[in-house]
Amino acid sequence: MLLQGSCHCQRVRFRVRCPHPYPFLLCYCSICRKTEGGGGYGINLGGDNASLEIEGREHVSVYRPLIEDPQTGERREDPGERHFCRHCGCALWAWDPRWPDLVHPAASAIDTDLPVPPERSHMMLGSKASWVPVQAGPDDRRFDEYPDESLAEWHRRLGLEDSGE
């Protein structure tokens, strides 16, 4: 599915092909919560990085959060990049050099109507803020850390393969 997105001030607009466009994975980690999530979580989609087209790239900044090593307690810069508009602060997409073919647009920045997922996965609940309620549906899945399936596996399991739109 071809998705179009933009920041709030409209200085940045982008298009990306997303074979996995269902906004099903809600992440409650501190990074997503603080950079994307007004509801206490962030929702990212799965896109093809090679298809990403950007207008207004000069207005995009990158944030690489510091993460704590669970063994040593040492804080180090995460290789993942969170792209945002330097004017309005809108989260746009995330990209990680460990998975260079993927780009993860923030669902909140997408202007195209997104399909409604039949179920959702709530991840990183172990680091959820105490004030954030988990509003899970009856078929929703919950994970203290990472889910047990990838974006592609979730779409395949539910028969939601890309229709080629």
Side-chain angles (χ1 to χ4, degrees):
M1 181 175 187
L2 184 63
L3 300 181
Q4 295 186 37
S6 62
C7 65
H8 188 261
C9 71
Q10 300 294 305
R11 286 184 171 107
V12 181
R13 297 173 190 259
F14 63 96
R15 296 167 37 114
V16 63
R17 179 138 176 70
C18 283
H20 307 116
Y22 283 80
F24 80 96
L25 188 63
L26 287 69
C27 182
Y28 295 79
C29 79
S30 66
I31 299 167
C32 288
R33 181 175 73 244
K34 291 184 177 201
T35 62
E36 288 183 46
Y41 52 82
I43 303 173
N44 293 318
L45 308 170
D48 173 16
N49 190 42
S51 72
L52 181 62
E53 298 174 13
I54 305 160
E55 293 176 38
R57 185 182 287 271
E58 68 274 15
H59 303 292
V60 176
S61 287
V62 174
Y63 173 63
R64 290 181 188 87
L66 293 177
I67 57 173
E68 188 173 308
D69 184 300
Q71 276 79 36
T72 66
E74 181 181 327
R75 292 176 57 85
R76 62 177 169 74
E77 191 174 85
D78 184 63
E81 300 176 353
R82 275 85 176 160
H83 296 250
F84 65 96
C85 174
R86 71 176 63 179
H87 302 283
C88 66
C90 181
L92 300 167
W93 62 84
W95 178 82
D96 195 307
R98 294 170 288 190
W99 302 279
D101 295 340
L102 298 174
V103 65
H104 300 284
S108 57
I110 299 300
D111 300 318
T112 305
D113 281 340
L114 294 172
V116 177
E119 67 180 47
R120 296 182 192 272
S121 292
H122 302 261
M123 70 178 262
M124 303 304 264
L125 291 171
S127 60
K128 177 184 80 59
S130 61
W131 60 267
V132 176
V134 177
Q135 297 176 350
D139 296 325
D140 287 5
R141 301 171 77 206
R142 298 170 182 231
F143 302 93
D144 281 341
E145 292 187 1
Y146 294 98
D148 58 4
E149 61 190 347
S150 70
L151 289 164
E153 290 167 341
W154 183 90
H155 281 77
R156 271 194 301 273
R157 176 172 59 82
L158 294 171
L160 304 171
E161 293 298 305
D162 188 9
S163 64
E165 294 176 28

